[in-house]
Amino acid sequence: MKFGGTSVKDAEAFSRVASIVAGQAGLAPVVVTSAMAKVTDALLAAFDLAKGGDSKAAFGSLEEHFERHGAVADELLAGEGHSNFALELGLAKEELSSLLLRVERRSLPLQMLRDAIVSYGEQISSRLLTEVFRASGLSAIHIDARRLIVTDDEYGSAKPIWEETRDLVKAELETPIAAGEIPVMGGFIAANRSGETTTLGRGGSDYSAALVGAALAAREIQIWTDVTGVLTCDPRICSDASTIDVLSYNEAAELAYFGAKVLHPKTIQPAVDHEIPVRVCNSHLPDERGTMVLAESGVSENGIKSIAHKTGITILRISSARMLGSYGFMSALFQVFERFRTVIDVISTSEVSVALTLDNTEYLDKVVAELERLGEVEVERGFAVICIVGEGLRASTGLAAKIFSTIADTNVSLISHGASSVNLTFVVREAEVADVIRKLHAKFFSSQES
Ligand code: ADP
Ligand code: ASP
Ligand code: MG
């Protein structure tokens, strides 16, 4: 059972989580929690402040968040539980203060310090949740996630090493579970082989939950959040977005990757590999079924299940007469992206040109400089990818016509269709994305139309 930041945002939310877990205590749950809402952002901002030379201000900026934890403890804990947590919080503060000072002095590699700092969100939320469970009569034990999840050295988005992680999870968790205890751990945080703290990337607590669920061959991986399951589109764009009952792993992976924030893109993989159902449910409405993500979902009546989108996209177009009838060009092109560890999202090619999209532009200048050796390069910023997902999309007739006729007055910059059987992806100007999604959502999901 994984609880996201909004599900542990204040004392009331912590209590709700305790009662949800109590309701499943007989099913031998393992609990994975995110940091309290806004804490990860605050820790990252503190790191930046310290990097800029003001570690004191950085530490000061965290005070309100320490107080938020303290307020939950004051409201829900008493006696030993309260003093245990106060001790943990005190230690965390001391360590954060010295880590921020190290950032200012550059006394260790910054990437490493950044992960060490940001990990405190989950470290303290998981300690607090453990005490709240105990106070409500559950037999809970805190487990340091960094002892279970082993990753490579890529700070900030470390990759788990599966076999080692699986063996450690089993070794550490099977005994307490068999003894009827509920292990509670922070998501998102891990450690490399030398024991240095790493993190799995923003939103990575879902990933932790999936790894632990897969290692233990759990009956189900539950992602508890602030909306009822995966919706037909981002609820912040269409207030009438509705819950999808069942999604396939493929559909969920496409949606997650293309911006449906509700699931971390990589979450799905450990679940797919071990065929474990993933349920996305609402911690405010725990009795609703939410969305089940399974191996097969079937084709929906209107042909599509959901519309995801991702903003902040840059388009690169490379054209070269050398491409005409020649082989090896694509390979040379991809090598540039490989060298700069830059992921391509959408790609479309013609006889003499290639257009592709990126959302990470950290190395854009270097990438462009290299690509200019291959041909002429154009860079356009300010785009959004829209991804329409549904099992059977490729096989259906007339769906593409219906999609594009609905948005006939929009300039579409790039289209990709056919590579996956479950998605149709296209790129529009960022300023138009909300309007385009609303039109499509109305066409495909409101009962009056379609
Ligand atoms: P958590 O803190 O629980 O991990 P997230 O913020 O990561 O929560 O994800 C939940 C949010 O994802 C929702 O509040 C919603 O605004 C957003 N979201 C975007 N697209 C979708 C979608 N298709 N279905 C559900 N939620 C979505
Ligand atoms: N706390 C981390 C983040 O905000 C991880 C997570 O919540 O999944 O990105
Ligand atoms: Mg999330």
Side-chain angles (χ1 to χ4, degrees):
M1 304 175 79
K2 175 261 173 177
F3 294 90
T6 49
S7 300
V8 289
K9 68 168 194 269
D10 54 22
E12 205 187 325
F14 270 81
S15 296
R16 256 194 315 262
V17 170
S19 70
I20 291 169
V21 172
Q24 296 195 31
L27 299 171
V30 174
V31 173
V32 174
T33 182
S34 286
M36 287 177 76
K38 304 198 183 105
V39 170
T40 305
D41 287 338
L43 289 163
L44 287 170
F47 168 84
D48 286 338
L49 267 176
K51 196 169 119 190
D54 198 345
S55 62
K56 267 222 170 73
F59 185 68
S61 72
L62 296 174
E63 187 51 37
E64 61 172 298
H65 299 285
F66 297 139
E67 278 168 16
R68 286 173 61 211
H69 289 85
V72 175
D74 290 347
E75 198 168 330
L76 301 177
L77 305 178
E80 205 186 332
H82 191 276
S83 49
N84 283 346
F85 181 70
L87 194 71
E88 289 298 340
L89 188 61
L91 283 175
K93 280 176 160 183
E94 274 174 35
E95 283 161 27
L96 275 167
S97 159
S98 96
L99 285 165
L100 289 164
L101 192 63
R102 280 170 183 271
V103 172
E104 186 180 321
R105 296 187 178 155
R106 307 286 197 271
S107 63
L108 277 171
L110 285 179
Q111 296 281 69
M112 185 191 266
L113 287 168
R114 190 170 187 259
D115 272 2
I117 288 169
V118 81
S119 75
Y120 276 91
E122 271 74 7
Q123 288 197 53
I124 47 184
S125 67
S126 58
R127 298 265 177 199
L128 183 51
L129 191 60
T130 310
E131 294 301 343
V132 170
F133 284 177
R134 287 192 184 140
S136 63
L138 291 167
S139 167
I141 60 161
H142 181 262
I143 305 278
D144 190 332
R146 295 170 299 173
R147 284 176 40 198
L148 307 192
I149 300 185
V150 188
T151 67
D152 64 10
D153 296 329
E154 188 144 336
Y155 294 103
S157 61
K159 278 172 216 64
I161 301 166
W162 166 248
E163 278 81 13
E164 287 172 40
T165 299
R166 179 200 55 206
D167 294 348
L168 283 168
V169 168
K170 287 166 73 111
E172 293 270 340
L173 299 189
E174 279 177 351
T175 311
I177 294 171
E181 288 182 304
I182 301 176
V184 181
M185 55 187 270
F188 177 59
I189 61 181
N192 64 14
R193 283 180 169 144
S194 357
E196 246 43 274
T197 301
T198 56
T199 60
L200 304 176
R202 292 307 304 268
S205 294
D206 297 353
Y207 196 9
S208 308
L211 287 163
V212 173
L216 295 172
R219 211 168 322 166
E220 186 170 289
I221 294 164
Q222 299 176 350
I223 306 292
W224 291 84
T225 183
D226 63 343
V227 288
T228 306
V230 183
L231 306 174
T232 47
C233 86
D234 188 331
R236 289 161 299 186
I237 292 194
C238 303
S239 52
D240 61 341
S242 56
T243 301
I244 304 161
D245 292 333
V246 184
L247 275 176
S248 67
Y249 291 130
N250 283 343
E251 290 171 326
E254 296 287 349
L255 284 174
Y257 189 70
F258 285 105
K261 203 182 156 208
V262 67
L263 278 183
H264 185 286
K266 294 171 201 149
T267 316
I268 298 297
Q269 204 50 49
V272 179
D273 295 344
H274 298 85
E275 288 190 41
I276 300 176
V278 177
R279 185 197 293 275
V280 183
C281 29
N282 190 340
S283 61
H284 300 265
L285 299 167
D287 295 330
E288 305 254 316
R289 277 191 73 241
T291 299
M292 284 303 288
V293 185
L294 305 167
E296 308 265 328
S297 73
V299 177
S300 63
E301 214 174 295
N302 68 6
I304 77 174
K305 296 266 173 62
S306 185
I307 307 169
H309 75 284
K310 193 153 87 169
T311 51
I313 299 295
T314 300
I315 302 183
L316 284 188
R317 293 179 206 277
I318 304 104
S319 34
S320 165
R322 267 173 60 197
M323 238 184 116
L324 197 65
S326 78
Y327 49 82
F329 184 86
M330 283 297 197
S331 157
L333 182 92
F334 287 138
Q335 276 172 29
V336 175
F337 291 93
E338 195 184 335
R339 208 166 316 134
F340 295 104
R341 308 179 79 105
T342 296
V343 179
I344 299 171
D345 280 344
V346 186
I347 183 159
S348 164
T349 73
S350 75
E351 223 16 73
V352 292
S353 54
V354 179
L356 46 84
T357 71
L358 310 175
D359 75 344
N360 177 359
T361 50
E362 194 182 343
Y363 300 110
L364 186 64
D365 294 344
K366 290 183 179 148
V367 167
V368 171
E370 293 268 321
L371 290 175
E372 275 168 347
R373 295 189 197 178
L374 299 175
E376 220 169 279
V377 184
E378 247 180 276
V379 180
E380 286 185 282
R381 294 175 190 268
F383 287 84
V385 175
I386 296 181
C387 178
I388 299 187
V389 171
E391 204 69 62
L393 231 160
R394 184 166 54 191
S396 72
T397 306
L399 208 58
K402 188 167 162 188
I403 291 168
F404 291 112
S405 63
T406 308
I407 55 164
D409 51 353
T410 304
N411 181 268
V412 175
S413 303
L414 207 147
I415 300 175
S416 160
H417 181 39
S420 140
S421 60
V422 305
N423 95 30
L424 184 150
T425 306
F426 58 93
V427 178
V428 301
R429 285 224 160 264
E430 211 165 58
E432 290 189 80
V433 71
D435 186 45
V436 166
I437 290 178
R438 280 191 204 108
K439 282 184 184 152
L440 288 169
H441 195 264
K443 183 77 179 175
F444 284 92
F445 295 103
S446 57
S447 40
Q448 309 91 295
E449 284 199 65
S450 94

